Amino acid sequence: MRPRAYGHALRALSCALLAWFVWVTWHAASHEAATVEWTCDGAGTCASDQFAAVATLLGTGAAALLGLLAARFLHRASGGVVVVFCAVACIVGWHDAIADGQVTHDSVTNFHVIVPITALSVADWLTALWCAVGLGSLLAWWGAATSLRRTAALRRLSRRYDTASATLSGWDRLSGGYGQVTVAFQDAHGTPHEVRAVTEQVALRRTVLAVYDRERPSDPRRTRVAIVRRTTRDLV
């Protein structure tokens, strides 16, 4: 196995293990919420030695790490996907607790998300969690659309288009962090081309590819700048 493939496999395995841990923690946090026993002192500080009492804190830390690792595969959709994953795990935990007879929809428990929040019923928590699923889904779709546009992934899958290493020059600012640049590249036949294209300003500091029409490589309307993942060169 090549070092790069080995690295991808190791990252994928790490993501799978983290996803399992995130699911377990958020599921336990809601499923065991009604069974957590708290010990309080006279100063108003309460604590518990049960796993469910700290499950959301552990789950949040693991989810943040999962988002960072999964970004290699999910790109900007990673954050939204992780939010949905955590919320769904928590929802399943509540429904399992209801099915096991531990709570009802009207039960008010000591369930907290990282920090204590005003006491809510199970039904209220489920409503809030479904809202989190909706928000996370929107973030995931926005992130996916942004990543597809930035990397020109769909265009690169077409047989009509080809890619080539490119250099950018002549930045002319437009709006919203975008600008027009001159894209210099060589097509598959070794013929050099320079075309004007619109791209994000971040592309000036990153490794880029020219995605061009094989039949009309000099057509600016059919040329896109694809920003590839960060490399060691981009960090220098």
Side-chain angles (χ1 to χ4, degrees), residues 71 73-78 139-158 163 178 198-200 209 211 224-229:
F73 308 111
L74 301 177
H75 299 277
R76 291 193 170 189
S78 179
L139 290 174
W141 279 112
W142 174 84
T146 302
S147 294
L148 287 174
R149 180 177 181 178
R150 172 175 283 196
T151 60
L154 296 181
R155 185 176 291 251
R156 290 164 66 181
L157 291 175
S158 173
T163 61
Y178 285 84
V198 175
T199 187
E200 294 181 74
L209 299 173
V211 183
R224 295 290 183 273
V225 175
I227 305 174
V228 300
R229 64 185 179 85

Side-chain angles (χ1 to χ4, degrees), residues 2-55:
R2 295 180 179 179
R4 185 175 180 181
Y6 179 79
H8 290 341
L10 186 59
R11 182 183 287 261
L13 178 60
S14 298
C15 288
L17 292 175
L18 269 175
W20 170 81
F21 182 74
V22 169
W23 181 274
V24 168
T25 53
W26 282 100
H27 181 277
S30 55
H31 184 265
E32 307 299 328
T35 65
V36 175
E37 296 181 359
W38 297 88
T39 301
C40 300
D41 56 24
T45 301
C46 298
S48 174
D49 59 358
Q50 292 177 256
F51 176 73
V54 296

